[in-house]
Amino acid sequence: MIHPSHLDEQPCACGSGKVYGDCCGPFHSGEKSCLTMTDVLRSRYTAFSYRNIKYVLSTTNEICRDYREDKVAWAKDLDKGGMFDSFEFVKLQAGEEEMSEDNKNEGYVEFKVTLRAKEDKNDKVAGQETVISERSRFLRNPEDGSWSYASGDVRSDVVGLEDTQLNA
């Protein structure tokens, strides 16, 4: 994958229709904060697409079960888990933002991500696509209004796993 700095004039990976330099790029560089849940969702998807592990870590809320104080070990685990090396990020379909009824600093977004398997040693699944759906929970920092990823209920369209929560 080309490093994002070379993509400022290319269509953003999140599928917004904007170029990277006017879309997720300013979030990744720290020029802009995520002031909506959709900002977090789209910019994290693009960060996963471009292997921007640092950004994924920085937009994960401390209450998230994935959160770790040891950022180096956490980054290695993310990389080793195969998410970056095993899949191409094909498409993001984001739903509407849904605010919590009892907490103005909590909300949810349902979305689907289409992933395509990269070549593996046995080349059995290369090119196959799978759709992952998630209902993500986001929390807003009341001090600066920025949102971060807190948790998600992840499911797949893989036959036999349609009604299984993958990250339980």
Side-chain angles (χ1 to χ4, degrees), residues 5-16:
S5 64
H6 302 292
L7 297 176
D8 280 349
E9 298 305 318
Q10 298 298 314
C12 192
C14 75
S16 67

Side-chain angles (χ1 to χ4, degrees), residues 1-70:
M1 180 59 66
I2 300 170
H3 189 273
S5 64
H6 302 292
L7 297 176
D8 280 349
E9 298 305 318
Q10 298 298 314
C12 192
C14 75
S16 67
K18 298 178 184 175
V19 295
Y20 175 76
D22 294 332
C23 191
C24 292
F27 296 118
H28 293 172
S29 69
E31 292 173 44
K32 287 176 65 175
S33 294
C34 292
L35 299 179
T36 70
M37 293 176 274
T38 302
D39 287 346
V40 181
L41 176 64
R42 289 187 175 283
S43 62
R44 282 175 60 92
Y45 172 85
T46 299
F48 273 106
S49 295
Y50 297 146
R51 298 181 60 123
N52 185 342
I53 296 172
K54 183 178 177 183
Y55 185 79
V56 171
L57 302 184
S58 73
T59 55
T60 303
N61 193 282
E62 292 179 5
I63 71 156
C64 183
R65 70 184 193 131
D66 298 332
Y67 185 87
R68 296 187 31 203
E69 287 293 328
D70 184 344

Side-chain angles (χ1 to χ4, degrees), residues 37-149:
M37 293 176 274
T38 302
D39 287 346
V40 181
L41 176 64
R42 289 187 175 283
S43 62
R44 282 175 60 92
Y45 172 85
T46 299
F48 273 106
S49 295
Y50 297 146
R51 298 181 60 123
N52 185 342
I53 296 172
K54 183 178 177 183
Y55 185 79
V56 171
L57 302 184
S58 73
T59 55
T60 303
N61 193 282
E62 292 179 5
I63 71 156
C64 183
R65 70 184 193 131
D66 298 332
Y67 185 87
R68 296 187 31 203
E69 287 293 328
D70 184 344
K71 303 289 189 276
V72 173
W74 185 11
K76 286 181 181 177
D77 284 348
L78 262 178
D79 205 23
K80 183 176 68 178
M83 186 63 137
F84 295 115
D85 291 333
S86 300
F87 297 98
E88 292 175 46
F89 290 75
V90 177
K91 180 171 59 172
L92 171 66
Q93 297 168 280
E96 297 296 317
E97 294 185 3
E98 174 189 334
M99 292 300 297
S100 174
E101 291 182 19
D102 57 347
N103 182 348
K104 66 179 182 176
N105 293 311
E106 176 184 56
Y108 302 87
V109 177
E110 290 192 35
F111 66 94
K112 291 182 179 184
V113 173
T114 303
L115 303 172
R116 182 179 303 121
K118 293 182 181 177
E119 287 187 35
D120 66 0
K121 294 175 187 170
N122 301 320
D123 202 36
K124 292 179 183 172
V125 296
Q128 292 182 14
E129 291 187 357
T130 189
V131 176
I132 304 293
S133 60
E134 180 172 337
R135 182 173 194 259
S136 291
R137 177 177 171 233
F138 297 90
L139 295 175
R140 180 174 32 206
N141 179 333
E143 294 176 17
D144 67 7
S146 66
W147 289 88
S148 59
Y149 174 80

